[in-house]
Amino acid sequence: MKQFWIFVNKEWLHILRDRRTLLILFGMPIAQILIFGFALSNEVKNSKIAILDHAADEVSYKLIERIQASKYFEIVRVLHSDSEIDPAFKQGHIRLVVVFPSSLSADLNHQNDVSIQLISDASDPNVGTTLVNYMSSIFSDYQNELIALNKLPYTIKPEVRMIYNPQLKAAYNFVPGVMAMVLLLICSLMTSIAIVREKEMGTMEVLLVSPLRPALVILSKTIPYLVLSFINICSILLLSYFVLGVPVKGNLFLLLAEGILFIITSLSLGMFVSSVAATQTAAMFGTLVGLFMPTLMFSGFMFPVDNMPIPLQMLSNIIPSKWFFNIVKAIMIKGLGFSAIWKETLILFGMTCLLFIISIRKFDKRLTL
């Protein structure tokens, strides 16, 4: 029995001396509790909305004050005509427009019944429905106060209009999210393993004695994966259209061009992982673990990024799939053009250039040693 406790003591010492084990043992649960408890939530807060106030009277001002006081909404635009609604949505900065009718006070005071139009972006059906419910709740509270004050049966009805996805199909949000996640994981995994395999087998040096420069050798290895990944994205689009019924409302060629850019970004990310990994196992582990969870949590596919604390919102900006997810939704679901996605495109292009430069320099440095 004494020997048993000696072995137990030895294991204790091993664990306490190994900082990585302690980090996994105590750091991961704390990090996961904090992230899932405070940052990742399906609750929608601080959603950017616009107001179109045709009434501009006491009732509309009171309702606007209540909307501003709510933690769920942030009024970022005040519209002046119905013609401004569609362009406001196409700019991609708002998720809901509240339209107060010009006869708001008259209808409420004389008929005790009024309808207020809510126009919601339903490209993400869960978020769109949740925002309408939040706004309806504000109207309902005001209505109950009027009933209690005047002892009259007031009715304030939200007149809901869902745009981009009026049928509230979940596939409209599911397809862009899965497309961004699958392409990033598969493309980066293929590139990282392919190059590390050459290094493990000792054949990379054989390739590099060829007349081609090392950078061109590495690029030549990624081109077949670019072609295969392009076939992959075409397959996803065909399945989405014919099986899931998700249309491509925007320009198909623009969507394919953005898909190629994202594939190149993912391949360059795989090259970066390959340049720092020593073995295929390390490359595979680093790619799957290092990319899968951040993509799932911070791309906006599962959890609204606007709800997250500022540091995590900043962290989400370095996740390539977040930008491609926004691009696919804008083109496929909303039918927008390049003018609406130039910022996301520029960010992906910048990421690609940066990753290529870092990867190639690391390869050159390693081969000269």
Side-chain angles (χ1 to χ4, degrees), residues 296-315:
L296 198 63
M297 292 190 296
F298 299 120
S299 65
F301 165 43
M302 295 291 292
F303 307 98
V305 176
D306 293 340
N307 289 358
M308 299 177 186
I310 298 298
L312 290 183
Q313 288 188 31
M314 295 173 67
L315 177 65

Side-chain angles (χ1 to χ4, degrees), residues 204-214 217:
M204 178 60 85
E205 286 74 10
V206 176
L207 292 174
L208 296 177
V209 296
S210 64
L212 283 176
R213 296 173 58 188
V217 172

Side-chain angles (χ1 to χ4, degrees), residues 19 56 68 74 112 202 308-309 336:
R19 294 181 179 177
Q68 284 178 320
E74 178 184 355
N112 299 348
M308 299 177 186
L336 304 182

Side-chain angles (χ1 to χ4, degrees), residues 195 204-205 207-222 271 356 359-368:
I195 296 175
M204 178 60 85
E205 286 74 10
L207 292 174
L208 296 177
V209 296
S210 64
L212 283 176
R213 296 173 58 188
L216 293 177
V217 172
I218 294 168
L219 284 175
S220 68
K221 290 183 70 64
T222 62
M271 286 175 54
F356 259 117
S359 303
I360 291 172
R361 284 191 174 180
K362 278 187 170 293
F363 275 118
D364 287 342
K365 185 177 179 181
R366 178 175 290 193
L367 291 170
T368 54

Side-chain angles (χ1 to χ4, degrees), residues 17-30:
R17 287 171 182 167
D18 189 353
R19 294 181 179 177
R20 287 177 297 184
T21 302
L22 290 175
L23 184 64
I24 293 173
L25 193 63
F26 296 109
M28 284 187 66
I30 293 172

